Amino acid sequence: MLSSSDFASASWELVVRVDHPNEEEQKDITLRVSGDLHIGGVMLKLVEQINIPRDWSDFALWWEQKHCWLLKTHWTLDKCGVQADAKLLFTPQHKMLRLRLPNMRTVRLWVSFSAVVFKAVGDICRALNIRRSEELSLLKPSGDYFKKKKKKEKNNKDPVIEDILNLEGSPTISGPRVSPGLYSKTMTPTYDPVSGTPASSTMTWFSDSPLAEQNCSILAFSQPPQSPEALADMYQPRSLVDKAKLNAGWLDSSRSLMEQGIQEDEQLLLRFKYYTFFDLNPKYDAVRINQLYEQARWAILLEEIDCTEEEMLIFAALQYHISKLSSSAETQDFTSESEVDEVEAALSNLEVTLEGGKADNTLEDITDIPKLADNLRLFRPKKLILKAFKQYWFVFKDTSIAYFKNKELEQGEPIEKLNLRGCEVVPDVNVAGRRFGIKLLIPVADGMNEVYLRCDHENQYAQWMAACILASKGKTMADSSYQPEVLNILSFLRMKNRNSASQVAPGLENMDMNPECFVSPRCAKKHKSKQLAARILEAHQNVAQMLLVEAKLRFIQAWQSLPEFGLTYYLVRFKGSKKDDILGVSYNRLIRIDAATGIPITTWRFTNMKQWNVNWEIRQVAIEFDQNVSIAFTCLSADCKIVHEYIGGYIFLSTRSKDQNETLDEDLFHKLTGGQE
């Protein structure tokens, strides 16, 4: 028999606070436990003592001092290291969260605060019907993000009421989150090509998504344009350092929301984090395409990415076209649509998937690598010398350009051979001024070698530009993506082509647009309203025949062709340097940029990377490349884990392939992004 003193030494009192679902105040409950009691046993004792009949299955123990969840219910208190001084909270794992989507709409839904963010984002995307959740993540906005808005609110007596889409009925608490039917290739909803709305017969496939109750097409529609005043009130980054601040708030994908100090009902931003959009398909991706379009639209309106005035007008024309089509599509009643046979729809989807686009003649690719040869003009910038382009005979083969004095000397030694692997390719185009230039920044030992090429006409430019873009990635013109790249460049140039004013005149008479809504505030200040409207309508003539989804895809495509597309900036200090630099992280390369001038200094390609790791003591990221090149830097504008995760995340996304059947290797993601902490 144990004496009472033996009993006291073997067991001890543990105080657990309980988050009662229906009561505002938390209550403390004292349990008598012993070190060999497992976590599940503690929870069982708690529930017995609370003695309230309800479903407690979503509740778990949170250890406040250690800032961690005790989710391994078979572990004993001794194994977890829990002693009498531990402060434990018995709380639901799923809590309400407000998410600002790329289209600036806010949704409220239940999200797991105990799952790692990578998994939680997957659940959120499933609930919102967005495929490829690995491309998105959660961003905690910096203080500046809502600052301007708050100033305005102080002046107004009435607070601004936010338009919130409430998805509280979301079935994310127990059981499977959403049926996999949403994701399977054969049972995916088909969309109306004009409006991007799911065909009515496929509505039932959304039945267990919370969006089904609220009309699942709501997130596939673009929002009406914001007023110029609202646009002026939004936070706009003015410099590369400002842009770097915006990226400081990305959450750690390998830790849970609770571990990162996120509170219940806090507002976070759901954004596309990685700029590689895999398998973007209008048949399945109405919501994804719309949210991507909205993210691109806001990036251009708030000048998070630079573009020329000519490009700004194309983006404005596409926005105007999309908002016109969206407002007319929203007024239609889709329920009266003719029923589509589900099996037929499924088969047509399968057919598209199996065809997989145009078949490439790979044998021809291997044996015959095409080359380009033509007269182009070249200019190398030197101090105090005006731009003077000189004509040479250029030959583009494999991934390099050689140039000669004239065609007859082609078989001899070239004046110079430029290897374009890892170079930066920047368009230098003004269609109205008939300027078709290519700016090449070629990496050399001490920085970047700058070369300008000038083409005579659109077709020549499209061919050479496409070849340069592919060569910078280490691909030749034999690659199957060469022809689509040429066509993409040509279609973008044609959108820039101005039409005669006579076609625009009728549009101006019955003008139903506020032109300042479609361009950045800085661009709006430069022009009078009527002049701006005329130029947007002029550009609109080139896109007026497009369908809604096609126009959104074209907008995304045009955004992708901007020189700065896909670059995420961080303020860093390189080892051995005495000044701060900007590090640009892209899907295939890292760029060191001068913080003062914004000029790229050096580029490193991921394909040449041998290994990368983090020294967690001094928070330094070190990367080794081929040919004994190694770099190391500390991150000043964000935690080094964020930059490390970006690099690993892009490498993880490059491993995706069509035959994966949409399953992701989550372990590989954490292995590549975790940094062996």
Side-chain angles (χ1 to χ4, degrees), residues 103-315:
N103 66 348
M104 300 296 177
R105 184 111 195 225
T106 302
V107 297
R108 268 182 100 234
L109 73 171
W110 294 100
V111 176
S112 171
F113 272 57
S114 63
V116 295
V117 165
F118 186 81
K119 227 183 188 80
V121 170
D123 290 346
I124 290 164
C125 288
R126 222 166 279 135
L128 302 179
N129 193 24
I130 298 172
R131 287 196 317 146
R132 305 285 172 203
S133 63
E134 67 275 11
E135 293 167 1
L136 296 96
S137 193
L138 298 173
L139 179 68
K140 189 173 181 176
S142 64
D144 297 337
Y145 190 81
F146 297 116
K147 205 182 270 176
K148 281 195 169 183
K149 228 175 222 182
K150 281 178 182 163
K151 276 185 196 167
K152 196 178 174 189
E153 278 172 26
K154 278 178 195 168
N155 304 337
N156 291 349
K157 285 176 187 169
D158 303 322
V160 176
I161 296 165
E162 208 170 6
D163 176 21
I164 292 181
L165 176 62
N166 242 324
L167 303 182
E168 288 181 59
S170 163
T172 53
I173 290 182
S174 58
R177 300 291 186 255
V178 177
S179 82
L182 274 176
Y183 283 73
S184 67
K185 286 281 189 207
T186 53
M187 287 295 278
T188 310
T190 45
Y191 293 96
D192 181 288
V194 181
S195 66
T197 311
S200 53
S201 65
T202 64
M203 285 290 197
T204 51
W205 298 346
F206 286 88
S207 56
D208 49 359
S209 164
L211 284 172
E213 301 154 29
Q214 313 218 12
N215 180 358
C216 57
S217 66
I218 199 157
L219 298 178
F221 275 118
S222 54
Q223 298 286 87
Q226 287 272 14
S227 68
E229 296 77 35
L231 205 56
D233 273 338
M234 294 175 96
Y235 177 70
Q236 282 177 275
R238 288 282 170 231
S239 65
L240 282 178
V241 177
D242 285 350
K243 290 176 187 179
K245 282 180 195 165
L246 286 176
N247 297 308
W250 287 110
L251 296 188
D252 186 337
S253 298
S254 307
R255 290 160 67 217
S256 68
L257 291 170
M258 197 94 155
E259 287 171 291
Q260 298 181 67
I262 304 300
Q263 304 295 314
E264 186 167 4
D265 216 31
E266 192 171 328
Q267 176 147 325
L268 297 177
L269 312 180
L270 178 71
R271 291 284 181 273
F272 288 88
K273 176 179 180 179
Y274 298 105
Y275 293 91
T276 53
F277 314 124
F278 187 68
D279 184 27
L280 205 56
N281 192 325
K283 272 195 165 64
Y284 322 126
D285 287 324
V287 176
R288 183 174 167 219
I289 287 169
N290 184 55
Q291 296 300 328
L292 201 46
Y293 156 69
E294 289 282 352
Q295 186 159 325
R297 181 168 88 93
W298 285 109
I300 283 149
L301 289 177
L302 300 177
E303 294 183 9
E304 286 169 23
I305 184 167
D306 287 341
C307 63
T308 64
E309 199 170 293
E310 196 173 42
E311 286 159 348
M312 182 70 82
L313 290 170
I314 290 171
F315 287 122

Side-chain angles (χ1 to χ4, degrees), residues 76 101 103 105 200 235 241 253 268 299 338 342 345 348 356 359 374 378 409 419 465 493 517 548 555 612 634 663 677:
T76 62
L101 301 184
N103 66 348
R105 184 111 195 225
S200 53
Y235 177 70
V241 177
S253 298
L268 297 177
S338 61
E342 290 174 9
S348 64
D374 214 338
L378 174 125
L409 299 172
N419 184 5
M465 184 66 176
L493 290 176
C517 299
L548 182 57
F555 192 100
W612 77 104
T634 47
T663 51
E677 268 187 282

